[in-house]
Amino acid sequence: QVQPVESGGGLVQAGGSQRLSCAASGRTFSSFAMGWFRQAPGKEREFVAHITWKGGSTDYADSVKGRFTISRDNANNAVYLQMNSLKPEDTAVYYCAARRSPFSGSYSSPRSYDYWGQGTQVTVSS
């Protein structure tokens, strides 16, 4: 079991950068695939990025590809989301989520994740 806790959100101007962190407690963190999702007001939670348990493979939503980078540090039980060239439409609450093996369903579906953080607000001003 892991408990993700996000940090690093805040207000940033369009075109700027921000780095989100996710600290996950639990001795088996390295066996979990991790994902970032976001949810804007009045919208459904949507997939942002995914990273496999060893960090050898990453996946991104088309809307953030080329601008966001997901990474992980298993030695420190942490996952990061580096966000560059931010746009107002990136404004949302960002959630970190953990997915335990055996994996079922799509990495881009919230239903495929077992543990969620409380979220951190990212606001991009125009």
Side-chain angles (χ1 to χ4, degrees):
Q1 182 174 348
V2 295
Q3 180 56 57
V5 178
E6 305 92 340
S7 62
L11 178 64
V12 62
Q13 286 191 329
S17 298
Q18 199 155 33
R19 188 194 197 204
L20 303 183
S21 299
C22 173
S25 62
R27 293 186 295 175
T28 59
F29 171 77
S30 60
S31 66
F32 285 76
M34 301 296 294
W36 284 97
F37 288 76
R38 65 187 183 187
Q39 188 166 18
K43 295 188 176 181
E44 293 188 353
R45 192 167 298 189
E46 66 172 4
F47 168 73
V48 174
H50 164 265
I51 189 166
T52 53
W53 66 283
K54 277 189 174 180
S57 179
T58 57
D59 304 277
Y60 298 93
D62 288 342
S63 59
V64 307
K65 202 171 293 183
R67 300 188 298 124
F68 290 12
T69 302
I70 187 172
S71 61
R72 68 188 295 163
D73 179 353
N74 286 343
N76 291 298
N77 282 18
V79 178
Y80 306 100
L81 185 69
Q82 177 65 45
M83 306 184 293
N84 298 329
S85 302
L86 282 162
K87 304 175 182 179
E89 51 263 44
D90 294 318
T91 295
V93 176
Y94 283 72
Y95 296 91
C96 176
R99 187 179 183 216
R100 66 172 180 256
S101 64
F103 306 120
S104 62
S106 170
Y107 59 76
S108 63
S109 171
R111 297 188 191 88
S112 299
Y113 291 77
D114 304 288
Y115 304 100
W116 290 83
Q118 81 290 347
T120 185
Q121 176 71 47
V122 173
T123 302
V124 184
S125 63
S126 57

